[in-house]
Amino acid sequence: GCAAVPDQQLKMETLSQVRTVKVTRYEPAKLRKATTGSRIAGVTTGALGVLFGGIGGGVGAAVMLGMETENGAALVEQLQLPDYSELLMTKFVERVHAEIPDWPELAIDTTILKDDPPEDAGHVIIIRVNQARVSDGSGLTVITDADMFAPGKTRLWHRRFTYRSADHQRCTELAQLEADGGTLFHEEWRYAVEKTVADFVAHLKGETGTAVSRVRGWESPTAIDHDPT
């Protein structure tokens, strides 16, 4: 199960002798798109499961998750959305270099992690997109973790940020987001990246508070495709 992990502030003195920090990412969660059809299918299947003695809630949730994932994949293809985690990783490196003086060199590793990095991986920052979901009336929700580890898997920094369109008074209607080739969706996609990066960098600089999130420690989060909060 997931263990509660508090946001952890980075102690800058731990980097005084570090020359390079690698930045990489786990395989991100796929975008999910919730529709009226996917919700009805989930509820209907769950109800049938209860009626015939099955585990209705779990079956209904699985059906809904499958439909949302299929809908999301179709939307990514239709709108040609760029890789969210890749955008985020690139912007993060740019802003750290621009805003934090005397920071070690950040080296992007484009390899997508499916397993844990080796013990001798050196200092590494790992980006993990745990959930990306869009629904009518709520807009886009993306839950992202960033962790920094020293050799030996010692955690030096942890931050989770949850982006929600409604929290920023952004467009939340699917029809509008998908209109005109997804112009507004592309804007929202990149806006979410910018807000997430801004939060991560502010936390590195000690400008934001501490919260508790649920993550899988050092484990790969590829199995987390639900709201882990």
Side-chain angles (χ1 to χ4, degrees):
C2 299
V5 177
D7 284 349
Q8 180 176 334
Q9 201 75 53
L10 176 67
K11 297 178 180 178
M12 293 298 292
E13 59 268 22
T14 61
L15 299 182
S16 61
Q17 303 300 317
V18 179
R19 300 185 63 181
T20 303
V21 176
K22 183 169 69 173
V23 182
T24 188
R25 57 190 169 128
Y26 280 113
E27 186 170 4
K30 305 298 184 184
L31 176 66
R32 290 159 45 194
K33 175 185 173 183
T35 63
T36 302
S38 64
R39 293 192 188 96
I40 291 174
V43 171
T44 302
T45 305
L48 288 173
V50 172
L51 181 63
F52 292 103
I55 306 175
V59 174
V63 169
M64 186 166 65
L65 175 62
M67 291 188 67
E68 287 186 3
T69 302
E70 289 181 7
N71 293 339
L75 186 63
V76 169
E77 179 66 24
Q78 174 191 337
L79 302 184
Q80 291 295 293
L81 292 172
D83 186 303
Y84 187 92
S85 62
E86 185 176 3
L87 280 176
L88 195 150
M89 190 168 60
T90 301
K91 290 291 184 184
F92 174 78
V93 169
E94 289 176 358
R95 289 195 63 162
V96 168
H97 281 156
E99 297 184 29
I100 307 180
D102 303 321
W103 185 267
E105 181 67 25
L106 292 179
I108 291 179
D109 184 345
T110 58
T111 304
I112 298 177
L113 296 177
K114 295 183 182 296
D115 299 300
D116 297 341
E119 292 262 0
D120 60 353
H123 285 76
V124 58
I125 291 174
I126 307 177
I127 303 295
R128 54 187 80 194
V129 177
N130 288 316
Q131 181 192 107
R133 186 174 186 265
V134 63
S135 61
D136 201 29
S138 296
L140 182 64
T141 299
V142 186
I143 302 172
T144 310
D145 290 324
D147 291 275
M148 183 175 183
F149 294 94
K153 300 183 180 179
T154 301
R155 190 194 305 274
L156 300 179
W157 173 62
H158 169 71
R159 179 66 172 173
R160 163 166 291 177
F161 182 74
T162 299
Y163 175 83
R164 297 183 181 90
S165 297
D167 291 345
H168 300 272
Q169 292 75 52
R170 306 281 292 182
C171 177
T172 61
E173 304 303 318
L174 278 176
Q176 296 180 39
L177 287 168
E178 295 179 27
D180 300 320
T183 298
L184 286 181
F185 203 113
H186 276 269
E187 290 180 6
E188 188 66 5
W189 200 240
R190 294 179 183 276
Y191 185 81
V193 166
E194 293 286 353
K195 286 297 181 181
T196 302
V197 168
D199 180 86
F200 286 167
V201 173
H203 192 259
L204 280 175
K205 295 161 68 176
E207 296 175 356
T208 53
T210 298
V212 173
S213 61
R214 301 187 69 83
V215 300
R216 291 175 174 249
W218 182 255
E219 299 175 25
S220 167
T222 52
I224 304 176
D225 195 20
H226 60 282
D227 187 344
T229 55

